Amino acid sequence: MIKVNNSKDLARLRRLCLSAQGLLQSQPFGQGLAGARKAINHLGYVQIDTISVVERAHHHVLHSRVPKFNPAMTNQMLVNGDIFEYWTHAAAFIPISDFRFSLPYKHAIKSGQTHWYKTPNRKLMAELLARIRSEGPLRSRDIETNRPKNSGWWDLKPAKKALEQLYMEGDLMVSNREGFQKTYDLTEKVLPSHINSKMPDTEEFAAHIVDQQLRCHGFASLKGMTYQRRNSGLRKAVKALVNDRLAQGTLEQIQVGGDVFLMEADALERRLPRLNNRLLILSPFDNAVIQRERLKTLFEFDYQIECYVPAAKRQYGYFSLPLLYQDQFVGRMDCKAHRKSRHLEIKALYFEPHHFDESAVIAAFADAVTIFCRFQECDSVSLTKIHPKSLTRQLHHALKPLA
């Protein structure tokens, strides 16, 4: 086992991690639609989120890695059959080539091994399935109901619950989206004919997970490889596979503090991209930061999203975004995009007590905000609260052209 006990080795680990995530290079996956497609294929998933104080998380993750990406491209990939929507540790867009690895969870729900809704309305589900089969794709809001009309993510009227159950069991897929209104169709009509739809066995699934995690993270802990997966058989298979690869010498262990990570042999010796002076404003649900314990171990960045915390107990704000500069998370920014007035309000900006070049970071931050504004379709920026206060004058001067 390799023990990381100096700053040089830790810095290399960080670069390996960030490079694998596509956050060091300027366009690691290319540009536009083709780049977005390659990015999702590499990352394995992009989490879907409902919060809209800034552009949705699934668009934000791709924006951080793919120049000339625009949000309409996500649904275009869905309609084109490049990706599909299902559940990983959360709702996500997933490469269509990974479709078969969604089947074990679908089977578990359909067979009653696990539950989505505990008492699904089978009669209503059969009626909806027959209607879609005869009439074509269906949106939940298209279904007549005697209840008061609701809309949006939390609309849990019986028909919507029945559609969601059919979707989670695999009979239906999402064929299109209008914002957060899903269109459902039969799986056999949505799934491209060339896609492998054979149920993987547990060993195949384990190999898929291990390979994917090493590819998109550079290295991973055993816990991280099965992040939020409650399938005990799958966890055991992943552990057995890891032990086999360790015995064969194709994997090696590396210890950082009290945590042990697994990586391909000689991964630390690979040539990595150089660090640049670009600052990235990331989503709270970005693949690189979603595993908070890993983030704290590797980057000494203690980060939690506080939108679910009572307002009086928030330390950094409702929806603070991590700020990545070179190989350090240097701060967080709580902001809101006012779309009608095309204004980005930075409510609070916090910089970590790192030893970095303040002038370089502030210049990089101003450049990042300019790009972020375009992504949010905003024309102006305001900055209210700054920590430390000693940076106030420099930051206001740097952002003056955007005011």
Side-chain angles (χ1 to χ4, degrees):
M1 182 183 296
I2 302 171
K3 291 188 178 182
V4 173
N5 50 23
N6 62 69
S7 58
K8 183 178 179 181
D9 287 343
L10 182 58
R12 186 154 186 82
L13 269 185
R14 289 174 174 176
R15 282 177 62 197
L16 177 62
C17 164
L18 295 172
S19 176
Q21 275 288 307
L23 293 174
L24 285 189
Q25 310 91 317
S26 60
Q27 45 179 312
F29 308 110
Q31 300 183 2
L33 182 63
R37 190 185 303 117
K38 288 180 180 177
I40 291 187
N41 285 336
H42 177 83
L43 295 171
Y45 78 95
V46 170
Q47 184 172 336
I48 300 170
D49 192 66
T50 62
I51 298 172
S52 61
V53 292
V54 293
E55 186 58 72
R56 310 279 186 180
H58 40 288
H59 303 316
H60 191 167
V61 170
L62 294 172
H63 161 78
S64 297
R65 294 162 172 81
V66 183
K68 299 183 179 179
F69 168 81
N70 71 68
M73 292 175 182
T74 306
N75 197 57
Q76 188 175 348
M77 288 188 288
L78 182 68
V79 173
N80 290 349
D82 298 321
I83 59 177
F84 73 105
E85 185 174 330
Y86 197 60
W87 201 262
T88 52
H89 69 273
F93 290 118
I94 307 168
I96 196 67
S97 57
D98 289 349
F99 175 81
R100 64 190 297 247
F101 298 105
S102 70
L103 297 178
Y105 191 44
K106 291 172 180 174
H107 174 73
I109 294 173
K110 197 165 192 174
S111 65
Q113 296 172 37
T114 189
H115 299 285
W116 189 251
Y117 296 117
K118 285 190 176 180
T119 55
N121 188 332
R122 295 290 171 187
K123 182 175 180 293
L124 181 55
M125 288 167 63
E127 291 171 358
L128 287 170
L129 206 55
R131 178 173 172 179
I132 293 172
R133 189 169 281 115
S134 63
E135 298 178 16
L138 187 68
R139 298 174 297 179
S140 58
R141 70 182 180 188
D142 293 332
I143 302 169
E144 293 180 6
T145 176
N146 294 325
R147 293 191 175 198
K149 187 175 181 181
N150 296 312
S151 64
W153 186 257
W154 300 111
D155 179 9
L156 295 180
K157 59 190 178 184
K160 177 172 173 56
K161 290 176 73 172
L163 283 174
E164 283 288 315
Q165 185 73 22
L166 286 165
Y167 158 73
M168 291 304 297
E169 291 185 5
D171 293 297
L172 299 179
M173 290 179 70
V174 176
S175 61
N176 201 350
R177 262 182 177 267
E178 295 177 28
F180 271 81
Q181 285 291 338
K182 303 175 187 177
T183 299
Y184 297 92
D185 202 352
L186 301 174
T187 292
E188 59 262 33
K189 290 187 177 180
V190 179
L191 186 67
S193 59
H194 67 279
I195 296 300
N196 187 347
S197 58
K198 181 183 177 182
M199 175 80 74
D201 61 31
T202 306
E203 288 69 29
E204 284 181 295
F205 199 0
H208 168 73
I209 287 173
V210 172
D211 292 341
Q212 179 193 77
Q213 291 296 301
L214 294 176
R215 180 186 72 238
C216 70
H217 286 302
F219 52 90
S221 67
L222 198 58
K223 181 180 178 180
M225 285 181 176
T226 53
Y227 178 69
Q228 299 282 32
R229 294 184 185 270
R230 297 178 175 86
N231 185 329
S232 59
L234 179 62
R235 287 182 173 183
K236 289 178 182 177
V238 167
K239 186 175 182 179
L241 177 61
V242 164
N243 286 337
D244 284 346
R245 293 189 181 182
L246 285 170
Q248 294 166 10
T250 58
L251 286 184
E252 59 187 359
Q253 294 176 309
I254 185 161
Q255 184 175 344
V256 183
D259 294 334
V260 175
F261 296 95
L262 301 141
M263 64 171 59
E264 293 177 350
D266 302 324
L268 273 179
E269 307 306 317
R270 293 175 187 166
R271 186 175 180 180
L272 295 171
R274 292 180 179 178
L275 296 175
N276 58 50
N277 292 328
R278 180 179 60 160
L279 186 143
L280 292 175
I281 301 169
L282 299 181
S283 166
F285 302 103
D286 194 282
N287 301 50
V289 303
I290 197 63
Q291 295 186 34
R292 312 300 195 204
E293 291 179 15
R294 173 190 170 96
L295 184 67
K296 188 174 181 179
T297 296
L298 295 175
F299 294 94
E300 299 173 330
F301 187 58
D302 190 2
Y303 174 76
Q304 297 292 334
I305 187 171
E306 296 180 305
C307 55
Y308 310 113
V309 175
K313 295 184 178 181
R314 290 175 193 151
Q315 184 177 1
Y316 297 108
Y318 178 79
F319 201 66
S320 68
L321 312 180
L323 306 179
L324 174 67
Y325 176 74
Q326 294 188 338
D327 63 350
Q328 293 184 75
F329 284 89
V330 295
R332 59 200 91 198
M333 176 178 81
D334 183 40
C335 61
K336 178 179 176 61
H338 298 274
R339 293 174 179 86
K340 288 186 179 180
S341 60
R342 299 179 65 89
H343 178 74
L344 180 67
E345 177 191 8
I346 303 177
K347 297 180 178 182
L349 178 63
Y350 298 88
F351 283 104
E352 299 288 295
H354 284 305
H355 298 290
F356 50 72
D357 185 331
E358 291 179 356
S359 297
V361 169
I362 289 171
F365 175 73
D367 289 341
V369 170
T370 302
I371 295 169
F372 194 67
C373 266
R374 288 199 295 266
F375 177 52
Q376 305 299 326
E377 297 186 343
C378 291
D379 301 321
S380 61
V381 177
S382 61
L383 174 56
T384 306
K385 183 179 179 181
I386 300 168
H387 179 83
K389 291 183 179 180
S390 59
L391 300 179
T392 299
R393 184 177 179 182
Q394 286 177 268
L395 281 161
H396 280 301
H397 182 267
L399 295 179
K400 190 173 182 180
L402 299 172

